[in-house]
Amino acid sequence: MAPIETPTTATPVLRPVDEFAVTFLVDNCLEWMTKLPPGFKHELPQHLFDQHPPNDAITGVPVLDFNNYCCGAHGFSALIETQIKDSKRHLTLFDTGPDLESIVRNARSMQVPLASIDRVILSHWHSDHTGGLLSFLRKRGTATPPCVVDAHPNRPLARGIASSPTYETVIGQLARDPTFAQIEEAGGEVEKHAEGHVVADGTVWVSGEIPRETAFEGGLPGGMRWVSESESGGESESAAEGQWIHEPHIMDERYAAIDVFGKGLIIFSACSHAGIVNVVKDAVERLSRPVYMIVGGLHLAGTDLVPRIPHTVNFLSKQLRPAPTYILPMHCSGFQAKVALEAEFGEGCVPAGVGMKVEVLGDREADKRLSPAVFASS
């Protein structure tokens, strides 16, 4: 089956939803005990009260069976649920984590109906976001219709990381992303999208390439790409000669957004190599809605990226108006970024992690009173 190339010429209309939910299936962190805002639920009560586990034969109370609970891993995957009143509920998977085991284990733990997931969005070609794709597809099986895998067409042969301060020596190569052929063999239906588009009956926006505008967001400093001398846009994995080239901007990265009635945009940025400020600016300018929640990796960890933290926090808290109600810094955000965001947003900075579920209900009447988003000077 040939991959589907779907060009678009104009920004399609993103339809607001009445109900939104997300369950985090892969993240670096586990968080069980922090006080959460309304609508947020830790993993543990979902096991105890929603899944109705059997009681212990002697004590008569449910057992915390850690063999069947989620595990953390360096990567990201989020199961997004969207529904417009009196319409079908759509399940969309955003990324698949770093390895073959985490997503399958954690999806089983959270009792996810895999056959009901009709689309996987790959945010970008880094294996901590694509590594679980093939095992997910195989576990999902041959459900009809097949699961669409929504990916940027520019898949690299290999990507690596170079060390500071010169970024000349590649110290490690990421595991190779699944090829389009492997995805098809595992039961996925590939759709290649370089442009922005809507999916899930118009309830999820998937961006195209993100414009790079801010002066302080310079991509991934040590990002490297292997380019074969015979590379011609195909998928050959057998090129014997080639070279590493600098690739800090990771231009295949894409974000996803959902619009909730009366709340505004919920933005998923899996790694923010483009910079979360660039992501938010693009979402607001294209979708013309305020930002309610920012979710995912902000890529502010590590000594090279820490100087970006105050600029990022200043934009989100003082320049973006209205400011987001919630920020969920996950995956590659880093401890210092979380501390800085918590200092500015208080309980609006939520320490999310794998197994957590968030539910947001829309309000059509309140939607009439929403203020449009603007970018104020600091």
Side-chain angles (χ1 to χ4, degrees), residues 215-253:
F216 65 89
E217 292 178 315
L220 180 64
M224 304 291 285
R225 181 184 183 122
W226 179 262
V227 178
S228 165
E229 291 185 2
S230 60
E231 193 171 8
S232 59
E235 282 197 290
S236 173
E237 302 287 316
S238 59
E241 296 182 356
Q243 62 178 333
W244 289 105
I245 63 170
H246 291 279
E247 190 196 31
H249 293 299
I250 319 294
M251 291 305 296
D252 52 288
E253 183 183 41

Side-chain angles (χ1 to χ4, degrees), residues 45 83 85 96 117 142 159 164 167 169 171 196 199 254 277 309:
Q83 186 170 24
K85 186 178 180 181
T96 62
I117 298 173
T142 56
R159 275 181 164 150
S164 61
Y167 304 111
T169 302
I171 59 173
V199 301
R254 307 173 304 161
V277 174
I309 293 175

Side-chain angles (χ1 to χ4, degrees), residues 47-334:
H47 289 296
L48 288 179
F49 307 121
D50 298 344
Q51 297 183 6
H52 307 293
N55 292 338
D56 180 78
I58 297 176
T59 65
V61 298
V63 176
L64 308 184
D65 185 2
F66 297 144
N67 290 308
N68 293 312
Y69 283 18
C70 291
C71 284
H74 180 81
F76 190 73
S77 179
L79 178 62
I80 299 168
E81 302 177 49
T82 51
Q83 186 170 24
I84 298 172
K85 186 178 180 181
D86 299 326
S87 298
K88 175 186 175 182
R89 178 176 291 266
H90 292 274
L91 272 63
T92 305
L93 190 63
F94 185 68
D95 283 345
T96 62
D99 61 89
L100 297 174
E101 298 180 0
S102 298
I103 183 128
V104 172
R105 174 195 170 112
N106 294 348
R108 181 179 66 246
S109 173
M110 303 312 297
Q111 298 187 1
V112 171
L114 297 184
S116 298
I117 298 173
D118 39 36
R119 181 174 294 258
V120 178
I121 300 166
L122 297 180
S123 65
H124 64 299
W125 295 108
H126 269 162
S127 59
D128 50 334
H129 299 266
T130 66
L133 176 60
L134 298 182
S135 62
F136 160 76
L137 290 172
R138 292 165 185 151
K139 189 68 175 179
R140 181 182 182 274
T142 56
T144 304
C147 185
V148 172
V149 177
D150 188 319
H152 194 283
N154 188 6
R155 175 192 172 275
L157 179 63
R159 275 181 164 150
I161 299 295
S163 58
S164 61
T166 62
Y167 304 111
E168 295 297 332
T169 302
V170 177
I171 59 173
Q173 176 186 311
L174 279 72
R176 292 188 183 180
D177 301 288
T179 67
F180 296 125
Q182 288 173 327
I183 294 170
E184 296 277 4
E185 290 168 3
E189 180 181 301
V190 175
E191 282 188 9
K192 299 179 182 180
H193 292 275
E195 304 293 333
H197 57 290
V198 292
V199 301
D201 198 21
T203 63
V204 179
W205 162 255
V206 186
S207 79
E209 293 179 356
I210 303 162
R212 312 305 168 96
E213 299 179 353
T214 59
F216 65 89
E217 292 178 315
L220 180 64
M224 304 291 285
R225 181 184 183 122
W226 179 262
V227 178
S228 165
E229 291 185 2
S230 60
E231 193 171 8
S232 59
E235 282 197 290
S236 173
E237 302 287 316
S238 59
E241 296 182 356
Q243 62 178 333
W244 289 105
I245 63 170
H246 291 279
E247 190 196 31
H249 293 299
I250 319 294
M251 291 305 296
D252 52 288
E253 183 183 41
R254 307 173 304 161
Y255 65 87
I258 297 90
D259 187 9
V260 181
F261 278 114
K263 302 293 194 301
L265 298 177
I266 297 175
I267 299 173
F268 286 84
S269 181
C271 235
S272 302
H273 295 302
I276 192 60
V277 174
N278 282 327
V279 167
V280 169
K281 283 185 173 182
D282 187 67
V284 168
E285 289 170 357
R286 288 184 179 275
L287 304 174
S288 302
R289 294 283 280 173
V291 178
Y292 178 68
M293 186 183 297
I294 297 170
V295 183
L298 307 185
H299 222 285
L300 295 170
T303 55
D304 295 335
L305 303 180
V306 163
R308 302 179 188 180
I309 293 175
H311 302 289
T312 302
V313 175
N314 179 69
F315 172 83
L316 296 176
S317 62
K318 294 182 172 61
Q319 293 180 258
L320 178 60
R321 286 287 178 262
T325 301
Y326 295 113
I327 298 180
L328 280 59
M330 304 177 71
H331 179 38
C332 55
S333 298

Side-chain angles (χ1 to χ4, degrees), residues 335-374:
F335 178 74
Q336 289 173 274
K338 294 179 181 180
V339 170
L341 287 165
E342 195 274 339
E344 195 67 40
F345 286 89
E347 292 185 355
C349 176
V350 183
V354 62
M356 186 177 291
K357 185 171 186 177
V358 184
E359 296 176 307
V360 180
L361 296 179
D363 185 334
R364 296 193 178 212
E365 190 61 32
D367 199 75
K368 302 173 184 177
R369 302 188 294 274
L370 277 187
S371 300
V374 297

